[in-house]
């Protein structure tokens, strides 16, 4: 089956310090008010969007996969409405819970391959693998990465890469088994950039940071339920929904912080055995 194709490039005219917000794993269901492990994912997504709006000015929002919880078209329409209301460009990736769309889908415009900022490039990579929970980078994705890295080498521009599945283990056995199955191929390409490459991912519903030969790899909290770090088996965490803020500076340096919802309380069943 053909995966959701990423295509096109967009240039954003930002200040020297570009501010990017990463939102991930929204898991919106077919109907508004649908729940995941007892949590209303529309309500938590709305709360994170309020948080994002409070962080203005921002230049772009990256939605890094598992946008829908059950592949429902109505879920994508509600995400479109919510992020459009923020008034900034947004760029989407599919995750393992997402539908595979036809090429002419009305929302395909969100699935851009690259974003060019005044001083940084952003590359979107699709790790969705049909019929599997784990991720995989097919040859098209790996070639897009090779091309972006080659451009970064010749131009001297730092590179931010966004994926759904993380490229490095996060220390939770059950999650590390369902990362990108050929992640080492991608990391080998990225290592030539060293500290001038940053990777942001979702999928694991938690804040984490790892380093591979200078390449920083970060994961973001979910906008809904959170997974407990360093857990051998499925385990939920009581932390609030959140997102990741990135500030990308003209000199190639960058800053990041995880922001969590504080104006509304959300609870989940911490004894839940898991979900499909």
């Amino acid at each position: 089956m053909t995966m959701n194709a990423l295509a096109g490039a967009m240039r954003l005219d930002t200040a020297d310090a570009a501010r990017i917000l990463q939102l991930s794993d929204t898991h919106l269901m077919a109907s508004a008010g649908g729940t995941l492990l007892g949590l209303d994912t529309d309500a938590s997504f709305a709360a994170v969007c309020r948080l994002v709006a409070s962080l203005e000015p921002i230049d772009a929002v990256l939605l890094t996969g598992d946008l829908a919880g059950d592949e429902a078209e109505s879920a994508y329409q509600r995400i479109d409405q919510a992020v459009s209301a923020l008034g900034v460009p947004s760029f989407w990736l599919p995750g393992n819970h997402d539908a595979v769309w036809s090429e002419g889908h009305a929302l395909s415009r969100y699935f851009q391959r690259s974003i060019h900022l005044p001083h940084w490039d952003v590359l979107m990579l699709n790790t969705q693998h049909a019929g599997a929970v784990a991720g995989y980078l097919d040859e098209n994705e790996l070639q897009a990465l090779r091309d972006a890295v080659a451009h970064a080498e010749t131009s001297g521009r730092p590179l931010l890469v966004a994926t759904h599945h993380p490229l490095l283990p996060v220390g939770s056995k059950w999650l590390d088994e369902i990362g990108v199955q050929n992640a080492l191929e991608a990391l080998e390409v990225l290592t030539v950039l060293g500290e001038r490459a940053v990777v942001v991912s979702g999928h694991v519903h938690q804040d984490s940071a790892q380093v591979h030969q200078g390449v920083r790899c970060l994961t973001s909290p979910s906008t809904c339920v959170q997974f407990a770090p360093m857990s051998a088996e499925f385990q939920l965490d009581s932390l609030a929904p959140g997102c990741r803020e990135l500030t990308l500076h003209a000199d190639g340096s960058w800053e990041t912080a995880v922001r969590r919802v504080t104006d509304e309380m959300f609870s989940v069943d911490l004894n839940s055995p898991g979900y499909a």
Side-chain angles (χ1 to χ4, degrees):
M1 182 181 293
T2 302
M3 295 296 94
N4 287 301
L6 302 179
M10 182 173 289
R11 293 190 178 277
L12 296 183
D13 184 16
T14 72
D16 279 348
R19 298 186 68 225
I20 309 294
L21 270 290
Q22 180 201 3
L23 280 60
S24 201
D25 300 271
T26 51
H27 287 272
L28 266 59
M29 303 300 174
S31 299
T35 61
L36 177 66
L37 299 168
L39 186 147
D40 182 331
T41 57
D42 278 272
S44 63
F45 182 47
V48 173
C49 286
R50 290 196 303 272
L51 172 62
V52 169
S54 75
L55 297 173
E56 291 183 345
I58 58 175
D59 295 301
V61 174
L62 308 181
L63 273 68
T64 52
D66 281 2
L67 309 173
D70 51 12
E71 302 187 11
E73 181 69 21
S74 53
Y76 300 107
Q77 297 295 334
R78 298 201 308 281
I79 292 170
D80 178 26
Q81 293 168 5
V83 296
S84 295
L86 293 173
V88 297
S90 68
F91 305 93
W92 302 6
L93 286 172
N96 50 286
H97 281 275
D98 285 309
V100 176
W101 293 344
S102 63
E103 185 176 338
H105 192 282
L107 298 179
S108 294
R109 67 185 184 277
Y110 285 116
F111 289 81
Q112 296 283 320
R113 170 63 78 193
S114 58
I115 306 106
H116 301 291
L117 307 173
H119 304 286
W120 283 68
D121 291 326
V122 181
L123 177 70
M124 310 292 281
L125 287 182
N126 184 359
T127 60
Q128 187 187 52
H129 192 200
V133 176
Y136 186 81
L137 289 162
D138 68 18
E139 181 55 31
N140 286 338
E141 301 306 302
L142 288 172
Q143 188 57 53
L145 179 60
R146 294 184 198 108
D147 292 343
V149 168
H151 178 71
E153 283 189 282
T154 57
S155 68
R157 291 166 60 86
L159 180 65
L160 176 68
V161 178
T163 67
H164 175 64
H165 298 79
L167 299 184
L168 283 175
V170 298
S172 293
K173 182 177 182 295
W174 71 281
L175 290 169
D176 293 340
E177 292 173 346
I178 52 173
V180 175
Q181 299 302 289
N182 59 338
L184 283 178
E185 290 183 67
L187 289 168
E188 287 175 3
V189 175
L190 282 165
T191 53
V192 301
L193 297 180
E195 294 180 353
R196 296 186 68 79
V198 182
V199 182
V200 292
S201 306
H203 188 56
V204 295
H205 292 231
Q206 63 187 262
D207 167 26
S208 74
Q210 298 82 33
V211 182
H212 179 84
Q213 296 187 30
V215 179
R216 287 292 299 274
C217 296
L218 310 172
T219 65
S220 175
S222 167
T223 67
C224 58
V225 301
Q226 312 302 309
F227 296 156
M230 310 306 289
S231 53
E233 298 178 345
F234 179 92
Q235 180 63 53
L236 293 177
D237 202 339
S238 60
L239 288 172
C243 60
R244 179 175 292 282
E245 177 185 357
L246 294 136
T247 304
L248 309 176
H249 294 284
D251 64 359
S253 64
W254 54 279
E255 303 163 25
T256 189
V258 165
R259 309 294 186 187
R260 294 189 186 271
V261 170
T262 59
D263 66 347
E264 187 173 354
M265 299 294 291
F266 296 93
S267 60
V268 293
D269 178 7
L270 294 177
N271 295 316
S272 172
Y275 72 102

